[in-house]
Amino acid sequence: MKRTILRLTFIVGIVLLFFRCATVPLTGRHQLILFPEDQIVSMSLTSYSSFLKENKLSTDAVNKQRIKNVGARISKAVEQYLAANGLQNQIANFEWEFNLVASNEPNAWCMPGGKVVFYEGILPYCQNDAGIAVVMGHEIAHAVAHHSNERMSQQALIQYGQAAATEILGHNQSDTRKAILAAAIGMGTNVGITLPFSRKHEYEADHLGLIFMAMAGYDPNEAVAFWTRMANASAGKQPEFLSTHPADEKRIAKLKAAIPEALKYKKN
């Protein structure tokens, strides 16, 4: 038990040491980053290579080029802004690449390191280049803000904390009671910490995404239209407190509130 408490104390010490060493660009939020970013990027490149081998790239030449064009505009604008503000280290390991895959799934993502993939299924919701820019800006924002590293860091901390809490609270308890306690702690941290934190990342990516698309010359007002289309297409969604994504009406309200700030960055 003493060893467990010492381990927990050590982890807390790491948190206090690193918590103020990383800050999200533009929002200024302090974040927990425990892993070297080059390690995260290396892992992502391995996953990306595997993904490309296992999934078919789109043969739609027109939309493939649209994805590449919008991606190039936004990534260039982000690079210029970060460099101008002495933040170029945020994307020091990035090598941009933009692909469209043949899938009806309405999805898109950007891995740490700048590898972006759109699925054909999301294009009907985008409707135009500005709509593509909404999604592109949002996904690139996740990568620029190092959300993957932050989530991994948080999960590592939670795992140590859960193990310590189970050991401390379940001291002298039967294995069955310890198992029940561990399950209860796991559910509590998931609903009380992990899911809300995921929603925070989504809101932050929305916020940064608006600014990034505006920097590239796109109208951030298009984000409201895009997310409204997505909301109208969804049905039977689970309650927000059990979801990794914000409720549609809350997301759209926050987007509307952030548009005036984003417009200050818009290039004509």
Side-chain angles (χ1 to χ4, degrees):
M1 183 175 177
K2 183 181 293 184
R3 182 179 299 175
T4 301
I5 295 174
L6 288 174
R7 181 189 299 174
L8 182 59
T9 302
F10 175 71
I11 295 300
V12 171
I14 290 178
V15 173
L16 294 176
L17 177 63
F18 282 92
F19 185 72
R20 294 187 180 277
C21 291
T23 304
V24 178
L26 291 162
T27 69
R29 180 178 65 84
H30 296 300
Q31 59 184 164
L32 171 67
I33 298 292
L34 298 181
F35 301 104
E37 189 63 21
D38 56 353
Q39 178 183 341
I40 303 297
V41 171
S42 177
M43 292 167 56
S44 296
L45 289 177
T46 300
S47 297
Y48 180 69
S49 297
S50 297
F51 176 87
L52 292 183
K53 291 177 182 177
E54 297 168 3
N55 293 270
K56 182 181 178 182
L57 292 179
S58 173
T59 57
D60 184 341
V62 173
N63 280 319
K64 283 171 63 176
Q65 193 58 50
R66 290 173 70 201
I67 297 299
K68 292 182 184 297
N69 290 345
V70 174
R73 280 179 60 175
I74 292 182
S75 59
K76 182 178 179 181
V78 170
E79 287 178 347
Q80 290 176 340
Y81 174 84
L82 294 177
N85 289 274
L87 299 171
Q88 59 271 21
N89 63 313
Q90 292 282 342
I91 54 173
N93 298 315
F94 279 41
E95 294 182 4
W96 300 103
E97 188 172 318
F98 307 94
N99 275 308
L100 178 66
V101 297
S103 170
N104 291 326
E105 184 180 352
N107 195 17
W109 41 261
C110 177
M111 285 188 170
K115 305 303 184 185
V116 179
V117 167
F118 268 61
Y119 294 55
E120 289 177 336
I122 203 170
L123 295 179
Y125 299 98
C126 295
Q127 292 191 355
N128 51 44
D129 284 2
I132 292 174
V134 173
V135 180
M136 187 74 71
H138 174 92
E139 299 304 333
I140 286 178
H142 277 307
V144 172
H146 303 305
H147 285 165
S148 292
N149 196 332
E150 190 173 9
R151 282 195 297 271
M152 288 179 62
S153 299
Q154 182 199 45
Q155 286 303 312
L157 186 65
I158 286 175
Q159 288 173 7
Y160 278 113
Q162 286 176 341
T166 301
E167 182 64 30
I168 294 169
L169 297 177
H171 188 59
N172 293 328
Q173 299 291 324
S174 68
D175 290 342
T176 300
R177 287 182 176 275
K178 282 187 178 181
I180 294 173
L181 178 61
I185 292 173
M187 176 62 74
T189 55
N190 188 47
V191 174
I193 299 175
T194 304
L195 293 178
F197 208 74
S198 293
R199 293 193 290 272
K200 179 183 289 187
H201 281 175
E202 288 301 311
Y203 283 131
E204 189 166 62
D206 283 350
H207 183 183
L208 292 174
L210 285 180
I211 294 174
F212 290 166
M213 69 180 292
M215 288 176 178
Y218 297 101
D219 182 4
N221 285 288
E222 183 61 30
V224 174
F226 170 82
W227 286 110
T228 299
R229 290 192 291 269
M230 290 291 288
N232 291 338
S234 64
K237 295 181 67 176
Q238 61 182 336
E240 182 184 16
F241 76 95
L242 291 177
S243 174
T244 60
H245 286 63
D248 293 322
E249 63 275 11
K250 290 184 179 180
R251 164 172 256 155
I252 291 171
K254 283 184 175 290
L255 284 167
K256 289 179 178 178
I259 286 174
E261 178 189 356
L263 285 171
K264 296 177 182 178
Y265 294 87
K266 190 175 185 302
K267 293 183 178 179
N268 297 322

